[in-house]
Amino acid sequence: MKNKKLTAQTQLDMLVDFGRQLSSETHFDKLLALTAKQISKIIGARHCFIFIKDEKHGEWCSKIARGKGLKYTEVHLPAEGDSIAALVARTGETVNIIDAYNDPRFAKGLDLITGFKTETVLAVPLLNKEGRVIGVFQLNNKENGAAFDKNDEGLLRLLSNLASGNIEIAALYEDVKLSNTEIIYRLAITSEFRDQNDTKIHLRNIAGNSYRIARAMGLGEQAAEVIKDASLLHDIGKVAIPDYILLKPGKLSEEEYELMKAHTFYGGKILQGSKSKVLRTAHKMSLYHHERWDGSGYPAGLKGEAIPLEARIVAAADVFDALCMRRVYKNSWKISEAYKYMLERSGKDFDPKVIEAFKAAFNQIKMSYIGAEPRRQ
Ligand code: C2E
Ligand code: SIN
Ligand code: SIN
Ligand code: FE
């Protein structure tokens, strides 16, 4: 790339390619990384920053700082400082600097962080549909040692326009995803904290076990993420179980156990009828996580593959964790004993394929339990 001028045709091909890649990436950080990479390539710049306003900390943050030998991948600048990012955001105008250290608009702040000497800069605002500045694209030091020209300015503005819609949507999506997961997690805690001292560990374990089993069964990243989030809610129905049963230090009477079993039914009630993928998965899990492969479980006595896969996965994840943890009614088991039990119950309580996956993922699964073992009493 160095010292080689790209032909217009090559640039056009790259643009088309860039547009296509943009629309297939919804993950925020990955989208920024992709954008920074393509932009430095298309225009030919040594460093590329994509500053996004971090409202909470009052900063311009570039999570993606591309360039050979950059010490940091993340750069933070004050929102109202004298940086070029702040200047572009304030004025909404393109800044093209030919000789940085002899230009009054240039502040050394970024160089002090990156340890690089800036010579040339090209920066444009990233505008959303309403024309509000949501970020700044900044290129430092053109590849061939020349200055950025009018062509580069136009090209960077075009790229910025191309990318802004996707960046804004990805940011919103990220926010929704985060708050969703947080709400699910908080909801799960309220339902679990009554009967377990280690609710957070328990929930993290169940989610982790479910995710790893799902992946080992060959499910994709996204499907496994859904299973992971949904698994947090599998016991939500316990909110409806009275304390005298849930917290009973000893063995439940037959009658009490019958009432306890209804937590699957209540969970099903609480979660039924949702349009959300995670909640629909959670619904199946809460209702069917105590079904058994051989049909001897509850509440419906479903057998084999009639039990939804998500429920078969969380069933194994849950029982393994319940065995390893101390409960008001039982001591914790050794990891090795619990592992042996899971294998013994394959084809009886558990789907043999789920147990195969559990075995395959066990090296990872057991990592979450090793520190926990001394809690045994
Ligand atoms: P949990 O404590 O989260 O246990 C989940 C499941 O793990 C149990 O479902 C069972 O399949 C398995 N499990 C837990 N501890 C043991 C154990 O010591 N041995 C064996 N073989 N399996 C174990 P299950 O039995 O349907 O119980 C559902 C829930 O009912 C339990 O959730 C717990 O909240 C409650 N529960 C069950 N038995 C008792 C009990 O004797 N006393 C009290 N207080 N609660 C109980
Ligand atoms: C800055 O934005 O603070 C410095 C400008 C630059 O190094 O490009
Ligand atoms: C239960 O309460 O359903 C049993 C344990 C668990 O599912 O976590
Ligand atoms: Fe349960």
Side-chain angles (χ1 to χ4, degrees), residues 52-280:
I52 303 287
K53 185 76 163 277
D54 177 347
E55 302 284 357
K56 196 169 139 214
H57 298 104
E59 287 176 338
W60 289 102
C61 171
S62 179
K63 284 200 190 172
I64 307 301
R66 274 189 60 81
K68 276 194 205 85
L70 273 187
K71 263 190 299 190
Y72 303 100
T73 53
E74 237 183 89
V75 175
H76 301 262
L77 298 169
E80 306 301 340
D82 55 3
S83 67
I84 286 176
L87 173 67
V88 169
R90 209 161 43 235
T91 61
E93 278 165 19
T94 300
V95 167
N96 188 345
I97 291 180
I98 291 170
D99 180 6
Y101 278 79
N102 287 309
D103 194 303
R105 290 171 296 177
F106 177 71
K108 274 185 288 201
L110 192 60
D111 279 6
L112 292 176
I113 299 171
T114 61
F116 270 87
K117 185 158 187 299
T118 300
E119 286 150 13
T120 56
V121 182
L122 180 60
V124 303
L126 186 61
L127 302 170
N128 72 0
K129 285 196 185 59
E130 289 86 49
R132 198 168 56 83
V133 178
I134 57 168
V136 173
F137 280 2
Q138 179 173 334
L139 300 178
N140 282 23
N141 295 355
K142 194 164 158 111
E143 282 282 5
N144 52 18
F148 293 103
D149 59 21
K150 285 283 167 207
N151 267 341
D152 297 329
E153 285 184 25
L155 208 48
L156 189 57
R157 275 201 301 269
L158 174 69
L159 290 167
S160 155
N161 285 339
L162 255 179
S164 73
N166 293 70
I167 290 178
E168 196 178 26
I169 289 167
L172 291 174
Y173 184 67
E174 192 87 345
D175 194 54
V176 170
K177 233 171 31 185
L178 275 179
S179 65
N180 263 344
T181 306
E182 187 180 338
I183 289 168
I184 289 173
Y185 185 70
R186 285 173 187 261
L187 196 62
I189 285 183
T190 60
S191 79
E192 297 262 347
F193 85 124
R194 273 194 308 152
D195 72 320
Q196 287 159 24
N197 7 350
D198 298 314
T199 298
K200 284 187 181 164
I201 300 174
H202 169 65
L203 287 173
R204 202 195 58 206
N205 287 346
I206 302 262
N209 297 351
S210 302
Y211 176 83
R212 291 186 179 116
I213 293 172
R215 292 293 284 165
M217 289 186 86
L219 274 80
E221 172 73 26
Q222 278 191 344
E225 289 275 349
V226 169
I227 285 179
K228 179 178 166 190
D229 287 346
S231 72
L232 294 169
L233 295 175
H234 78 280
D235 259 348
I236 186 88
K238 280 185 178 174
V239 292
I241 304 301
D243 280 353
Y244 82 91
I245 296 178
L246 196 63
L247 304 180
K248 183 174 174 175
K251 203 166 160 43
L252 298 179
S253 72
E254 212 162 297
E255 197 183 327
E256 288 165 340
Y257 189 51
E258 284 311 308
L259 289 170
M260 184 69 218
K261 285 179 176 176
H263 79 279
T264 53
F265 166 82
Y266 293 124
K269 276 271 177 232
I270 293 167
L271 294 168
Q272 85 185 357
S274 174
K275 287 207 172 88
S276 130
K277 178 116 185 108
V278 173
L279 293 189
R280 274 188 287 131

Side-chain angles (χ1 to χ4, degrees), residues 11-22 38 41:
Q11 271 186 340
L12 195 60
D13 288 346
M14 285 172 137
L15 271 176
V16 172
D17 200 40
F18 177 52
R20 221 189 36 235
Q21 291 183 30
L22 269 182
Q38 293 296 325
K41 219 164 85 184

